[in-house]
Amino acid sequence: METIKSVFIHDETEENLQALNKKKQNRPKRRIQIMLIIIAILSSLIAIYFLSDISKVKSLKVTGNKYFNDKEILELADLSYDTRHLLLMPFINERKIEANELIKNVTIEKMMSGVVHIEVEEADIIGTYQENKKTYLLLGDGSSIEQDGKDYLQEALNAGLN
């Protein structure tokens, strides 16, 4: 009888040890499954956010411009109401605007409410002159820019001399 009891006790202990070893082996698999589920949920939430209108710029405000209209400034900055607010990098757009010779300085502020404020400081146009059948704009710092027939330069000429 004693041998039977010891066999049963041994079997239960061995069974418990095997179950414990099996749990230990399944732990990494379960962690990987949980991580994959979390990554899938986060990826789908991010995709839904960027595909919705919530992520777009709500308001574009341009101030300080007298030669350029707001639409031209936004075209120079490559901004629109379809721009994703979180992906907007103000320093890149500032460089794009400052590449124009009639712009002295630009500051772009991105607010959390979806508003983008662009503060523009334009160069002063003193006058125009012609040389070799080409018209040039004379700026306040003494430099000149060739008027190459672009609409904004004609508007700048008219606005700056009035």
Side-chain angles (χ1 to χ4, degrees):
M1 216 27 135
E2 224 174 274
T3 58
I4 294 175
K5 284 184 180 180
S6 67
V7 170
F8 284 124
I9 293 172
H10 179 57
D11 285 342
E12 279 182 27
T13 307
E14 190 173 319
E15 212 174 275
N16 288 340
L17 286 174
Q18 287 176 353
L20 186 62
N21 285 335
K22 198 172 192 180
K23 279 185 182 180
K24 285 181 181 180
Q25 288 174 352
N26 289 336
R27 281 183 193 163
K29 291 178 187 176
R30 177 167 279 145
R31 286 183 188 152
I32 290 172
Q33 289 174 342
I34 291 171
M35 291 297 281
L36 289 175
I37 290 171
I38 290 172
I39 289 171
I41 290 171
L42 287 176
S43 299
S44 61
L45 288 175
I46 290 170
I48 289 170
Y49 173 76
F50 279 111
L51 292 174
S52 70
D53 287 341
I54 297 170
S55 66
K56 293 182 180 177
V57 171
K58 308 279 186 285
S59 174
L60 294 167
K61 183 179 178 185
V62 180
T63 58
N65 52 329
K66 52 187 172 183
Y67 304 135
F68 296 93
N69 62 33
D70 293 352
K71 183 180 175 185
E72 291 166 338
I73 296 290
L74 293 174
E75 286 175 4
L76 287 172
D78 196 26
L79 291 174
S80 70
Y81 287 102
D82 290 330
T83 305
R84 303 291 176 200
H85 187 262
L86 286 179
L87 299 179
L88 176 69
M89 302 294 172
F91 61 92
I92 293 173
N93 299 100
E94 287 173 0
R95 284 191 216 145
K96 288 179 182 179
I97 297 173
E98 288 174 346
N100 190 301
E101 297 167 323
L102 289 175
I103 307 286
K104 276 188 190 177
N105 190 19
V106 176
T107 305
I108 298 178
E109 287 183 66
K110 181 173 92 166
M111 296 161 198
M112 290 307 293
S113 60
V115 176
V116 177
H117 180 250
I118 302 172
E119 178 67 34
V120 179
E121 183 182 345
E122 297 176 340
D124 295 324
I125 297 176
I126 297 175
T128 63
Y129 65 93
Q130 286 192 342
E131 185 177 289
N132 299 331
K133 296 184 181 181
K134 293 182 182 179
T135 303
Y136 294 89
L137 298 173
L138 183 61
L139 303 180
D141 63 357
S143 63
S144 60
I145 300 173
E146 181 180 348
Q147 183 182 4
D148 54 4
K150 293 183 180 176
D151 291 339
Y152 68 85
L153 289 178
Q154 184 60 42
E155 291 174 19
L157 175 65
N158 294 336
L161 298 176
N162 290 335

